[in-house]
Coordinates of all heavy atoms in Angstrom, one line a residue:
I941 N -26.0 21.7 62.9 CA -24.7 21.0 63.3 C -24.4 19.9 62.3 O -23.3 19.8 61.8 CB -24.7 20.5 64.7 CG1 -24.8 21.6 65.7 CG2 -23.5 19.6 65.0 CD1 -25.0 21.1 67.1
S942 N -25.5 19.2 61.8 CA -25.3 18.1 60.8 C -24.7 18.8 59.5 O -23.8 18.2 58.9 CB -26.6 17.4 60.6 OG -26.4 16.4 59.6
S943 N -25.3 19.9 59.1 CA -24.8 20.5 57.9 C -23.4 21.0 58.1 O -22.6 20.9 57.2 CB -25.7 21.7 57.6 OG -27.0 21.3 57.3
L944 N -23.1 21.6 59.3 CA -21.7 22.1 59.5 C -20.7 21.0 59.4 O -19.7 21.2 58.8 CB -21.7 22.7 60.9 CG -22.5 24.0 61.2 CD1 -22.4 24.4 62.6 CD2 -22.0 25.1 60.3
I945 N -21.0 19.9 60.0 CA -19.9 18.8 60.0 C -19.7 18.2 58.6 O -18.6 17.9 58.3 CB -20.3 17.7 61.0 CG1 -21.5 16.9 60.7 CG2 -20.2 18.3 62.4 CD1 -21.8 15.8 61.7
Q946 N -20.8 18.2 57.8 CA -20.7 17.7 56.5 C -19.9 18.7 55.5 O -19.3 18.3 54.6 CB -22.0 17.3 55.9 CG -22.6 16.1 56.6 CD -24.0 15.8 56.1 OE1 -24.1 15.2 55.0 NE2 -25.0 16.1 56.9
E947 N -20.0 20.0 55.9 CA -19.2 21.0 55.2 C -17.7 20.8 55.6 O -16.8 21.0 54.8 CB -19.7 22.4 55.6 CG -21.0 22.8 54.9 CD -21.3 24.3 55.3 OE1 -20.4 25.1 55.2 OE2 -22.5 24.5 55.7
A948 N -17.5 20.4 56.8 CA -16.1 20.5 57.4 C -15.3 19.2 57.0 O -14.1 19.3 56.9 CB -16.2 20.5 58.9
L949 N -16.0 18.1 56.7 CA -15.3 16.9 56.4 C -16.0 16.1 55.3 O -17.3 15.9 55.4 CB -15.2 16.0 57.6 CG -14.6 14.6 57.4 CD1 -13.1 14.7 57.0 CD2 -14.7 13.8 58.8
D950 N -15.3 15.7 54.2 CA -15.8 14.8 53.2 C -16.0 13.4 53.8 O -14.9 12.8 54.2 CB -14.8 14.8 52.0 CG -15.2 13.8 50.9 OD1 -16.2 13.1 51.0 OD2 -14.4 13.7 50.0
L951 N -17.2 12.9 53.9 CA -17.4 11.7 54.6 C -17.5 10.5 53.7 O -17.9 9.4 54.1 CB -18.8 11.8 55.4 CG -18.7 12.7 56.6 CD1 -20.1 12.9 57.2 CD2 -17.8 12.0 57.7
S952 N -16.9 10.6 52.5 CA -16.7 9.4 51.7 C -15.5 8.6 52.3 O -14.6 9.2 53.0 CB -16.3 9.8 50.2 OG -15.0 10.5 50.2
P953 N -15.4 7.4 52.0 CA -14.2 6.6 52.5 C -12.9 7.2 52.2 O -12.0 7.3 53.0 CB -14.4 5.2 51.9 CG -15.9 5.0 51.7 CD -16.4 6.5 51.3
R954 N -12.8 7.7 50.9 CA -11.5 8.3 50.5 C -11.3 9.6 51.3 O -10.2 9.9 51.8 CB -11.5 8.6 49.0 CG -10.2 9.2 48.5 CD -10.4 10.0 47.3 NE -10.7 9.1 46.1 CZ -9.8 8.5 45.3 NH1 -8.5 8.7 45.6 NH2 -10.2 7.7 44.3
G955 N -12.4 10.4 51.4 CA -12.3 11.7 52.2 C -11.9 11.5 53.6 O -11.0 12.2 54.1
I956 N -12.4 10.5 54.2 CA -12.0 10.2 55.6 C -10.6 9.7 55.7 O -9.8 10.2 56.5 CB -13.0 9.1 56.2 CG1 -14.4 9.6 56.4 CG2 -12.4 8.6 57.6 CD1 -15.4 8.6 56.7
R957 N -10.2 8.8 54.8 CA -8.9 8.2 54.9 C -7.8 9.3 54.7 O -6.8 9.3 55.3 CB -8.8 7.1 53.8 CG -7.4 6.5 53.7 CD -7.5 5.3 52.8 NE -8.0 5.6 51.5 CZ -7.2 6.2 50.5 NH1 -6.0 6.5 50.7 NH2 -7.8 6.4 49.3
E958 N -8.1 10.2 53.7 CA -7.1 11.2 53.4 C -7.1 12.3 54.4 O -6.0 12.8 54.8 CB -7.4 11.8 52.0 CG -7.1 10.8 50.9 CD -7.3 11.3 49.5 OE1 -7.9 12.4 49.4 OE2 -7.0 10.7 48.5
H959 N -8.2 12.7 54.9 CA -8.2 13.8 56.0 C -7.5 13.4 57.2 O -6.8 14.2 57.8 CB -9.6 14.3 56.2 CG -9.8 15.5 57.1 ND1 -10.0 16.7 56.6 CD2 -9.7 15.5 58.5 CE1 -10.0 17.5 57.6 NE2 -9.9 16.9 58.8
L960 N -7.8 12.2 57.7 CA -7.2 11.7 58.9 C -5.9 10.9 58.7 O -5.4 10.4 59.7 CB -8.3 10.8 59.7 CG -9.6 11.5 60.1 CD1 -10.6 10.5 60.7 CD2 -9.3 12.6 61.0
N961 N -5.5 10.8 57.4 CA -4.3 10.2 57.1 C -4.2 8.7 57.7 O -3.2 8.4 58.4 CB -3.1 11.0 57.7 CG -1.7 10.8 56.9 OD1 -1.7 10.1 55.9 ND2 -0.7 11.2 57.5
L962 N -5.2 7.9 57.3 CA -5.4 6.6 57.9 C -4.6 5.5 57.3 O -4.6 4.4 57.8 CB -6.8 6.3 58.0 CG -7.7 7.2 58.8 CD1 -9.2 6.7 58.7 CD2 -7.3 7.2 60.3
S963 N -4.0 5.8 56.1 CA -3.3 4.7 55.4 C -1.9 4.5 55.9 O -0.9 4.3 55.1 CB -3.3 5.0 53.9 OG -4.6 5.0 53.4
Q964 N -1.7 4.6 57.2 CA -0.4 4.4 57.8 C -0.4 3.2 58.7 O -1.5 2.8 59.2 CB 0.0 5.7 58.6 CG 0.0 6.9 57.8 CD 0.5 8.1 58.8 OE1 1.7 8.3 59.0 NE2 -0.5 8.7 59.4
P965 N 0.8 2.7 59.1 CA 0.8 1.6 60.1 C 0.7 2.2 61.6 O 1.7 2.2 62.3 CB 2.2 1.0 59.8 CG 3.0 2.2 59.3 CD 2.1 3.0 58.6
I966 N -0.6 2.5 61.9 CA -0.8 3.2 63.2 C -1.8 2.4 64.1 O -2.4 3.0 65.0 CB -1.3 4.6 63.0 CG1 -2.6 4.6 62.1 CG2 -0.2 5.5 62.4 CD1 -3.3 6.0 61.9
Y967 N -2.0 1.2 63.8 CA -3.2 0.5 64.3 C -2.9 -0.4 65.5 O -3.8 -0.6 66.4 CB -4.0 -0.2 63.2 CG -4.5 0.8 62.2 CD1 -4.0 0.9 61.0 CD2 -5.6 1.6 62.6 CE1 -4.4 1.9 60.1 CE2 -6.1 2.5 61.7 CZ -5.5 2.7 60.5 OH -6.0 3.7 59.6
A968 N -1.8 -1.0 65.6 CA -1.5 -1.9 66.7 C -1.6 -1.2 68.0 O -2.1 -1.8 69.0 CB -0.1 -2.6 66.6
R969 N -1.2 0.0 68.1 CA -1.3 0.8 69.3 C -2.7 1.1 69.7 O -2.9 1.5 70.9 CB -0.5 2.1 69.2 CG -1.2 3.1 68.3 CD -0.3 4.4 67.9 NE 0.6 4.0 66.8 CZ 1.4 4.9 66.2 NH1 1.4 6.2 66.6 NH2 2.2 4.5 65.3
T970 N -3.7 1.0 68.8 CA -5.1 1.3 69.2 C -5.7 0.1 69.8 O -6.8 0.3 70.4 CB -5.9 1.7 67.9 OG1 -6.1 0.5 67.1 CG2 -5.2 2.8 67.1
A971 N -5.1 -1.0 69.7 CA -5.8 -2.3 70.1 C -5.9 -2.7 71.5 O -6.4 -3.7 71.9 CB -5.2 -3.4 69.3
A972 N -5.3 -1.8 72.4 CA -5.5 -2.0 73.9 C -5.6 -0.6 74.4 O -5.0 0.4 74.0 CB -4.2 -2.7 74.4
Y973 N -6.5 -0.5 75.5 CA -6.7 0.7 76.2 C -7.5 1.8 75.5 O -7.5 3.0 75.8 CB -5.4 1.3 76.8 CG -4.6 0.3 77.5 CD1 -3.4 -0.1 77.0 CD2 -5.1 -0.3 78.7 CE1 -2.6 -1.1 77.7 CE2 -4.4 -1.3 79.3 CZ -3.2 -1.7 78.8 OH -2.5 -2.7 79.5
G974 N -8.3 1.3 74.5 CA -9.3 2.2 73.8 C -8.8 2.9 72.6 O -7.6 3.3 72.4
H975 N -9.7 3.0 71.6 CA -9.4 3.7 70.4 C -9.6 5.1 70.5 O -9.1 5.9 69.6 CB -10.2 3.1 69.2 CG -10.0 1.7 68.8 ND1 -9.4 1.3 67.7 CD2 -10.1 0.5 69.6 CE1 -9.2 0.0 67.6 NE2 -9.6 -0.5 68.7

């Protein structure tokens, strides 16, 4: 399973940011009632 998930997602900071599209203003909504 560890090998599978590393094949499925680039776990570098850039890889995570780009795959999940995290460089957007989407964070205030996460700050209450759980991330």
Side-chain angles (χ1 to χ4, degrees):
I941 294 175
S942 178
S943 296
L944 292 176
I945 62 176
Q946 291 178 74
E947 286 181 47
L949 177 62
D950 175 2
L951 287 169
S952 69
R954 182 201 294 271
I956 293 169
R957 178 172 56 80
E958 292 181 349
H959 186 98
L960 296 176
N961 204 12
L962 297 180
S963 298
Q964 301 184 84
I966 55 173
Y967 296 103
R969 72 191 77 171
T970 70
Y973 310 114
H975 292 248

